[in-house]
Amino acid sequence: MPTLASHRKPRSLSGVRTASPAVGITTAALASVTLLTAQSASAAPVEPKPSMEEVQKKVDDLYRQAGGETQKYNRAKEATQKQKRAVDRVLDEVAKRADKLNEARRTLGSFAAAQYREGAVTSTAALLFADSPQSFFEQKQVTDRLTERQRGVLADYQTQQADAAKKRQQASKDLESLTASQTALRTSKQNVQQKLGAARALLSKLTTEEKARLAALERKKEEEARRKAEAQAKQEARAKAEAERKRKEQQAQAPSTGTGTGSGSDTGTGTGSGDTGTGTGTGTSGGTGASDGSYATKAAKVLSFARAQIGKPYVWGATGPSSYDCSGLTQAAWKEAGVELPRTTWDQVKAGTRVATEDLLPGDLVFFYDDISHVGIYIGDGMMIHAPKPGANVREESIYYMPIYGSVRPA
């Protein structure tokens, strides 16, 4: 029997094979999209790099903040030293009171011992071993039996005991104040270090090219401040020339007045008038000169000291002699002229007469920034000597390098 051909259509595998690449491509695409999406989600947004002007402003602001924290440190350090001296004095007083109290106890003890030897525990012994002298004194029948001397000793004991308690209480309060000052001192120190560390970290991230651009911006800032100082110098020169012209005019008028009155003095009628005229002219000129001369003499000592410190490093919290912060330098310089200034810029700005910028004289103190965190010594012609900031040395600089808050004449 012949074999019949199968009418079943053979299964084609082409459909499965053609579908496989499509599935593979789709899976790979989905995986890629998923991966990209995950990467995009996990990647932090890239912040634009700050400009050199922004970096300069940020660094200057950090140094200014560090200057303010330095003044807080100086104030806390001064308060700590003051409180420590107060505590030491009170503790000395407590020790002295304790000695007097012990002496009174010994005297009472001798009374009690004597009475005990006589065979009875007397009122004096009872008082010595009582919980409080006050409760004992309330017993009228006992105090009536005390001798006059015993009463005096007991009264002294009571006084010494009360005084010792007061001193111990005062010592406790002073110790609390000292602890608070020490805490403030540590906090201020940490804040200064934090601000300076942030400034250093910001500068350390700059490339060589960026550092060069930053230095160029700094030179530009210094040049602008120098131009303003030169304008101030010209203004001061004009004012000085005008003052000299007026002085010469007054001198020129004084001899003619003197000559007129002198001839009158020969007649005997003009003597008084001549003496009065001469005396008035001399007195007015001499009084003004003495006042200016006194301040000028002190200012000369201040400037001589300040110039001798040029080149020494700025160190926050330092008062010399090898390094200074800004208010430490001004304090030391004016001390050389016999004037004691407070330690901080915030207190120094109150120690004297306020003067306008256009009326500045050498020796005056110029304060900067709204928070009064910096100070320099005016030397004339729009310039000052100051201890600028960490990493810099004491130097001369234009007062217009920083925003001026105000100025003070200390003496």
Side-chain angles (χ1 to χ4, degrees):
M1 182 176 176
T3 302
L4 298 176
S6 174
H7 295 285
R8 180 180 296 177
K9 187 177 180 180
R11 179 181 296 179
S12 174
L13 300 178
S14 61
V16 177
R17 288 173 183 168
T18 54
S20 296
V23 172
I25 293 172
T26 303
T27 304
L30 288 173
S32 300
V33 171
T34 303
L35 179 61
L36 289 173
T37 304
Q39 289 177 342
S40 300
S42 62
V46 179
E47 295 183 0
K49 195 168 186 178
S51 66
M52 285 302 97
E53 288 79 4
E54 291 173 331
V55 171
Q56 183 189 41
K57 184 178 182 302
K58 181 64 175 177
V59 170
D60 287 347
D61 191 51
L62 285 170
Y63 279 133
R64 180 192 59 76
Q65 292 177 34
E69 293 297 333
T70 297
Q71 297 308 312
K72 291 181 183 178
Y73 172 85
N74 292 339
R75 176 174 284 181
K77 184 177 181 180
E78 190 175 44
T80 299
Q81 293 170 343
K82 184 178 180 181
Q83 288 296 334
K84 188 176 185 304
R85 289 192 295 268
V87 167
D88 289 342
R89 285 194 300 268
V90 172
L91 291 178
D92 288 342
E93 285 294 320
V94 169
K96 291 177 183 178
R97 296 293 180 185
D99 289 341
K100 291 182 179 180
L101 185 62
N102 290 334
E103 181 62 30
R105 283 182 181 276
R106 283 193 292 270
T107 303
L108 288 175
S110 66
F111 288 158
Q115 291 175 350
Y116 180 78
R117 285 193 298 269
E118 292 174 1
V121 177
T122 63
S123 57
T124 303
L127 174 62
L128 181 61
F129 298 111
D131 292 335
S132 76
Q134 185 62 35
S135 64
F136 182 81
F137 281 125
E138 291 174 355
Q139 302 177 25
K140 180 73 166 55
Q141 68 276 18
V142 176
T143 55
D144 290 340
R145 290 171 11 216
L146 295 175
T147 65
E148 190 66 29
R149 184 186 175 195
Q150 288 173 326
R151 289 180 181 178
V153 172
L154 291 171
D156 180 62
Y157 173 80
Q158 186 181 33
T159 300
Q160 298 301 333
Q161 188 179 48
D163 289 345
K166 288 180 181 179
K167 288 298 179 182
R168 284 194 295 270
Q169 186 177 12
Q170 182 180 348
S172 178
K173 290 181 179 179
D174 287 344
L175 283 170
E176 289 178 2
S177 298
L178 177 59
T179 301
S181 297
Q182 290 173 332
T183 300
L185 184 65
R186 286 192 295 271
T187 300
S188 298
K189 183 176 181 179
Q190 291 171 355
N191 290 341
V192 172
Q193 292 172 335
Q194 179 184 5
K195 299 298 182 184
L196 295 180
R200 286 192 293 266
L202 188 59
L203 292 173
S204 67
K205 295 177 181 177
L206 300 180
T207 64
T208 303
E209 181 183 354
E210 288 172 335
K211 289 178 180 178
R213 288 167 55 197
L214 186 62
L217 288 174
E218 188 71 15
R219 287 193 296 270
K220 181 181 178 182
K221 181 180 177 182
E222 291 173 355
E223 183 58 32
E224 291 175 354
R226 190 178 299 111
R227 282 198 297 269
K228 291 181 179 180
E230 290 172 354
Q232 172 105 1
K234 291 177 181 178
Q235 180 182 344
E236 291 179 4
R238 287 193 297 269
K240 188 180 295 185
E242 180 64 16
E244 180 66 14
R245 184 186 66 79
K246 290 181 178 180
R247 186 186 67 81
K248 288 182 178 180
E249 284 183 357
Q250 291 175 353
Q251 283 183 340
Q253 292 173 1
S256 62
T257 304
T259 303
T261 55
S263 60
S265 67
D266 290 339
T267 65
T269 58
T271 304
S273 174
D275 291 343
T276 303
T278 305
T280 302
T282 304
T284 303
S285 175
T288 304
S291 176
D292 291 346
S294 175
Y295 184 76
T297 300
K298 291 179 180 178
K301 294 179 180 179
V302 171
L303 298 186
S304 176
F305 177 90
R307 287 192 173 98
Q309 312 314 309
I310 290 177
K312 293 183 179 180
Y314 174 101
V315 174
W316 63 271
T319 57
S322 57
S323 59
Y324 298 89
D325 64 16
C326 65
S327 57
L329 177 63
T330 53
Q331 184 186 47
W334 268 101
K335 186 176 182 180
E336 192 73 10
V339 177
E340 292 288 342
L341 290 180
R343 177 64 182 93
T344 70
T345 55
W346 303 323
D347 294 323
Q348 288 183 8
V349 75
K350 304 172 186 175
T353 305
R354 293 295 292 269
V355 293
T357 303
E358 58 269 20
D359 297 327
L360 284 169
L361 292 177
D364 291 347
L365 301 181
V366 186
F367 297 86
F368 302 91
Y369 301 112
D370 290 339
D371 60 357
I372 323 176
S373 56
H374 193 72
V375 62
I377 304 169
Y378 191 66
I379 62 176
D381 296 337
M383 301 292 287
M384 66 177 171
I385 294 175
H386 70 141
K389 59 186 178 182
N393 297 330
V394 176
R395 66 192 182 200
E396 291 187 9
E397 196 151 44
S398 167
I399 62 172
Y400 297 102
Y401 181 75
M402 295 167 284
I404 297 174
Y405 171 84
S407 304
V408 164
R409 188 160 298 153

